[in-house]
Amino acid sequence: VILIIAILTFDHHPVESYLVEKRNVSQFTTLTLVYGTHNDSKLNHSMAQNFCEDLGKTFNVTGKQHVVSNLMSIHTPAIIPDIMRWVLSVERERFYIGAQFIKWVHGHREGYFLEWTDKTSDDFHNIHRPREVLDDMEPLERRCVSVDYKHGKWGVHKCSTRMNFLCLSHIIDPEAMRDEDERLPMEKEKHENP
């Protein structure tokens, strides 16, 4: 685990001072919690997404590798306890993830859906939806999602609210993917003709 204190200006926004805690999940995946005690170290949702994208440019990659970095998307409840244990060991404040909550209205019916900044599917959510927040939303309004450090539930906030955030960075290695694709037919053949 690396702790960095920095004073930087990224392409899209100035960040006065902040703390960064990184956790390597695998050889190709890194979580980065960006936090601080002053409001200057917190960003609104779109600035946090830009920060995560810029963070991807700081990875050392070779050959045809490239990095995709966004606010974190979560697609299974199984990883929430691990994330919460790690984040709670570092900071006790809510933090943005890469989800936006959108209200739709059709006639007298209304509904809500989730959209991830990395364009992955809306296959899981853990949103706490207080009625007063839902009633306050305009049709087609986007609110941004954070994780509450106390219980791991997801809150819905105006996207202009500044807070800590969690980035997820993946190193994409076409060579490793090609090698894997080449092995699959052979493995398939083994299973078909033992």
Side-chain angles (χ1 to χ4, degrees):
V1 177
I2 302 170
L3 179 63
I4 302 169
I5 299 176
I7 299 174
L8 290 179
T9 300
F10 272 81
D11 292 343
H12 303 284
H13 53 274
V15 178
E16 301 274 331
S17 63
Y18 60 89
L19 300 168
V20 174
E21 186 81 18
K22 290 188 177 190
R23 180 177 181 197
N24 292 325
V25 178
S26 72
Q27 177 183 358
F28 297 106
T29 304
T30 302
L31 294 177
T32 305
L33 177 66
V34 181
Y35 66 101
T37 56
H38 302 289
N39 204 39
D40 290 344
S41 61
K42 298 172 183 173
L43 299 176
N44 67 38
H45 197 266
S46 66
M47 291 172 72
Q49 173 62 24
N50 289 337
F51 185 102
C52 292
E53 290 172 5
D54 289 345
L55 180 67
K57 299 172 188 172
T58 66
F59 283 75
N60 291 324
V61 293
T62 60
K64 295 182 180 183
Q65 292 178 333
H66 67 279
V67 178
V68 175
S69 187
N70 292 285
L71 284 166
M72 172 125 191
S73 58
I74 300 173
H75 297 281
T76 175
I79 64 171
I80 293 174
D82 287 338
I83 290 170
M84 295 311 297
R85 271 191 298 278
W86 174 60
V87 170
L88 284 171
S89 72
V90 176
E91 178 66 30
R92 291 184 179 270
E93 284 194 33
R94 64 184 180 207
F95 56 91
Y96 276 133
I97 56 175
Q100 293 184 337
F101 192 67
I102 300 133
K103 178 179 183 175
W104 60 265
V105 176
H106 183 72
H108 296 295
R109 294 181 24 206
E110 67 178 41
Y112 304 88
F113 65 95
L114 203 65
E115 187 174 89
W116 292 99
T117 54
D118 65 2
K119 308 298 182 218
T120 52
S121 64
D122 171 19
D123 50 5
F124 167 74
H125 62 82
N126 195 26
I127 291 190
H128 175 66
R129 297 183 279 192
R131 190 76 232 164
E132 64 274 6
V133 172
L134 301 179
D135 289 343
D136 186 45
M137 288 179 72
E138 297 294 325
L140 301 178
E141 180 182 357
R142 292 173 177 267
R143 295 276 177 109
C144 293
V145 177
S146 73
V147 177
D148 187 303
Y149 76 92
K150 291 179 185 174
H151 48 67
K153 291 282 186 195
W154 300 0
V156 179
H157 309 276
K158 291 192 177 192
C159 296
S160 59
T161 304
R162 296 170 68 101
M163 65 180 71
N164 300 326
F165 53 96
L166 185 61
C167 302
L168 177 64
S169 303
H170 294 286
I171 296 175
I172 308 299
D173 187 346
E175 291 298 316
M177 294 166 81
R178 183 182 59 82
D179 291 346
E180 184 67 23
D181 289 343
E182 288 174 357
R183 283 194 300 266
L184 287 175
M186 293 176 4
E187 291 174 359
K188 203 178 216 181
E189 190 174 296
K190 285 181 188 175
H191 291 293
E192 290 172 2
N193 302 320

